[in-house]
Amino acid sequence: MNTPQPRSRHAARAGAGLLATGLAVAVGHAVAGVVAPGSSPFLAVADSVVDRAPAAVREVTIDALGTADKPALMAGLAAILVVTGVVVGLVERRGRPAGTIVLVLFGLIGTVAAVSRPTAGPLWALPTVAGTVVAVLALRAMIGALFPAADEDAARGTGTRRDPDRRRFLILAGSAAAVMVAAGTTGIALTRRAAEAVAERTGLRLPRVLARNAAPAVPPGVAPDVPGVTPFLTDNDEFYRIDTALRVPSLSTSDWRLRIHGMVEREIELDWQSLVEREARERIVTMTCVSNEVGGDLVGTASWTGFSIADLLAEAGPLPGADMLLSTSVDGWTAGTPLDALTDGRDALLAVGMNGEPLPFEHGYPVRQVVPGLYGYVSATKWVVDWEVTRFDRASAYWTDRGWAEKGPIRTASRIDRPAPLAELSPGPVVVAGTAWAQRRGVERVEVRVDDGPWRDARLAEEYSADTWRMWSWTWDAEPGLHTLHVRATDSTGRVQPEERRAPVPSGATGWHSRTFRVVAA
């Protein structure tokens, strides 16, 4: 048998490291299918990265990638694992287990990440530990075939050199690959609950809404009759999604429970049936993400079907002194909502439907919160399973622990939607159009300014309610040249949207939106 060239042996060692690392992930994922999906080492580490990222990093990422931030993170972690796998194989030797040490260190990171998740228990360490053990055994066996003991003795001058056992290495590598595929397949099979939840949602019928609880019809005058303007209602697949869930929970109605406890006269636990037996209502509400930059698109309006949060809280009977509802998602995410914002008569809903169909999984199926007038990070808990009535001086929530403001009322904002940025326009009348919002207060006025000229009143479309955005338009007699348009809104209290630009952290962005256009003479 000829001794393989060093380059061939390097490639084999790198392959061994990649297979061992892949085994750790695949076996961990398969075991997590039995323990809990969130205990998968890959997902646990990814979730921990999201949790521990500084607010500034999070905002830059969302601004640059939008809703592609989660796939980008997953791809980045996968690339790190590939590089790690190659390194593990190249540095591992029979008598110098440097690669093994790297695997164990990564296993330790995965274990800590898993057991530190908000909903974790001690068993959440098991998937990472199992994956790490299998990976180390496989790595040691494959490297042992490439570096027989006599080979290392010969390198030290104490024995006779032996050639690598190619046949044994290939058998071991093939077995590792087969186990990796089988484990990955098993992990997918064990998480088949997701497919079952999809089938359930497809056949689910929303609770009937009586005529007295239906949302008023949307009049035709709520949007300008101008091509290309933002629709008043946002389609479900166009509605923004910003949350911390790298893996969308697959919670079925049969598994869903909501526990109401804490500073209450009586604890209550609701299941799906006891929820939908209540009187459902339908409301149209505009929601806004606190991460929305000036002129951003992290805002949308939908028709929500659900049940009064105020009525549910009244059944539990909050005790005097309580001022916060700490809501928890099935994946452990929390939001702290001012109790008075849930009981002051606004249409705060425990929602089960969105635009006439069951909630999409990405938007909280089967149950989520919708609270007009508050940014989502303090109110819009998806996949909600727990309500604790408490106080702001006794409890804190996910994003407030990371430096964001406690109560999160939505700021007045306005946006130019048409024409597109840097558009080339012809001289003469040009229709400029956009949206403005000031939930709970309503938009009273929108003004537009060209370059440094005077402010001009835009034409406001009909207002649907103070809890929805309001469309506006303005006809501009465009003259040749490069021009910048600014917009600002005034709410019903008379407060004008501030000019000063401020970043979203810690309580929402401020500033006038602008767009630059070039008017070109024919």
Side-chain angles (χ1 to χ4, degrees):
M1 182 183 295
N2 295 325
T3 302
Q5 296 298 317
R7 183 175 298 176
S8 300
R9 189 181 291 195
H10 288 334
R13 288 159 55 194
L18 279 172
L19 285 170
T21 305
L23 270 173
V25 174
V27 170
H29 187 64
V31 177
V34 177
V35 176
S39 64
S40 168
F42 184 81
L43 295 175
V45 170
D47 285 334
S48 294
V49 170
V50 173
D51 285 355
R52 290 167 172 77
V57 173
R58 175 180 180 271
E59 291 310 306
V60 169
T61 303
I62 291 175
D63 190 39
L65 301 176
T67 56
D69 57 341
K70 296 173 182 64
L73 172 60
M74 303 290 265
L77 290 178
I80 290 172
L81 285 175
V82 169
V83 173
T84 300
V86 171
V87 172
V88 162
L90 292 178
V91 302
E92 179 74 4
R93 296 289 190 280
R94 179 189 288 272
R96 191 187 65 193
T100 295
I101 293 173
V102 173
L103 283 178
V104 171
L105 287 175
F106 268 69
L108 181 62
I109 292 171
T111 301
V112 171
V115 298
S116 62
R117 301 304 303 146
T119 57
L123 285 178
W124 280 46
L126 186 59
T128 306
V129 172
T132 302
V133 170
V134 171
V136 167
L137 292 175
L139 178 68
R140 298 296 294 163
M142 287 185 284
I143 294 299
L146 290 174
F147 293 93
D151 192 15
E152 295 195 351
D153 290 341
R156 294 191 295 266
T158 59
T160 303
R161 180 178 295 276
R162 288 173 49 195
D163 290 334
D165 190 338
R166 289 179 173 179
R167 184 170 181 274
R168 180 167 172 256
F169 173 78
L170 290 175
I171 291 173
L172 289 169
S175 299
V179 170
M180 185 169 64
V181 171
T185 303
T186 302
I188 294 172
L190 290 172
T191 55
R192 65 184 181 277
R193 182 172 296 181
E196 295 171 355
V198 170
E200 175 197 81
R201 179 185 176 274
T202 301
L204 186 70
R205 297 184 64 180
L206 291 177
R208 178 169 171 261
V209 178
L210 300 176
R212 66 173 178 269
N213 293 326
V218 178
V222 298
D225 185 16
V226 179
V229 300
T230 299
F232 177 70
L233 290 175
T234 310
D235 290 340
N236 290 356
D237 57 357
E238 297 292 331
F239 207 96
Y240 75 92
R241 178 204 164 195
I242 297 294
D243 52 51
T244 63
L246 294 169
R247 176 195 65 263
V248 176
S250 300
L251 187 63
S252 67
T253 57
S254 59
D255 291 332
W256 180 80
R257 299 287 187 279
L258 176 66
R259 180 184 174 218
I260 308 174
H261 61 105
M263 297 176 64
V264 294
E265 294 176 358
R266 64 196 68 84
E267 289 196 11
I268 295 175
E269 184 171 287
L270 297 173
D271 60 16
W272 177 261
Q273 192 58 40
S274 62
L275 176 66
V276 297
E277 286 174 352
R278 288 166 164 74
E279 197 167 288
R281 59 185 64 185
E282 179 188 42
R283 295 293 184 267
I284 295 177
V285 176
T286 296
M287 298 184 67
T288 310
C289 180
V290 72
S291 296
N292 200 38
E293 297 282 356
V294 173
D297 59 0
L298 302 181
V299 56
T301 300
S303 174
W304 306 93
T305 303
F307 306 89
S308 168
I309 290 178
D311 289 351
L312 291 168
L313 288 173
E315 292 182 27
L319 296 175
D323 63 6
M324 185 236 267
L325 179 69
L326 184 68
S327 54
T328 304
S329 167
V330 72
D331 63 356
W333 186 86
T334 54
T337 310
L339 199 59
D340 58 6
L342 302 171
T343 57
D344 63 359
R346 72 183 73 189
D347 292 315
L349 296 179
L350 197 57
V352 297
M354 182 178 183
N355 287 330
E357 63 179 64
L359 291 170
F361 286 98
E362 295 82 358
H363 293 291
Y365 181 86
V367 183
R368 67 165 297 162
Q369 295 172 196
V370 174
V371 183
L374 298 179
Y375 287 120
Y377 80 102
V378 298
S379 65
T381 306
K382 303 174 185 176
W383 318 289
V384 61
V385 294
D386 189 270
W387 280 356
E388 180 186 0
V389 178
T390 181
R391 292 182 53 83
F392 279 102
D393 58 8
R394 296 181 187 175
S396 58
Y398 184 94
W399 283 117
T400 51
D401 285 341
R402 289 158 176 79
W404 294 75
E406 273 190 341
K407 300 187 178 180
I410 294 174
R411 297 181 179 277
T412 301
S414 55
R415 186 181 72 193
I416 301 170
D417 294 337
R418 167 206 156 96
L422 301 178
E424 289 197 351
L425 310 174
S426 298
V430 172
V431 177
V432 180
T435 52
W437 55 90
Q439 289 93 314
R440 298 303 298 154
R441 303 177 302 281
V443 173
E444 188 70 26
R445 185 182 189 187
V446 171
E447 299 169 281
V448 183
R449 183 178 72 182
V450 180
D451 300 325
D452 293 322
W455 288 101
R456 306 291 188 184
D457 282 324
R459 177 181 178 274
L460 289 175
E462 186 173 342
E463 182 181 64
Y464 181 83
S465 80
D467 290 335
T468 61
W469 55 12
R470 195 169 187 183
M471 292 7 189
W472 59 268
S473 61
W474 179 67
T475 301
W476 172 38
D477 190 11
E479 298 179 353
L482 189 66
H483 301 283
T484 298
L485 275 69
H486 292 83
V487 63
R488 69 181 184 188
T490 302
D491 68 20
S492 63
T493 70
R495 295 190 64 180
V496 180
Q497 179 184 346
E499 177 183 7
E500 179 189 3
R501 284 256 181 169
R502 297 200 316 183
V505 182
S507 56
T510 64
W512 297 340
H513 186 218
S514 64
R515 278 194 176 172
T516 299
F517 311 104
R518 184 177 296 278
V519 180
V520 181

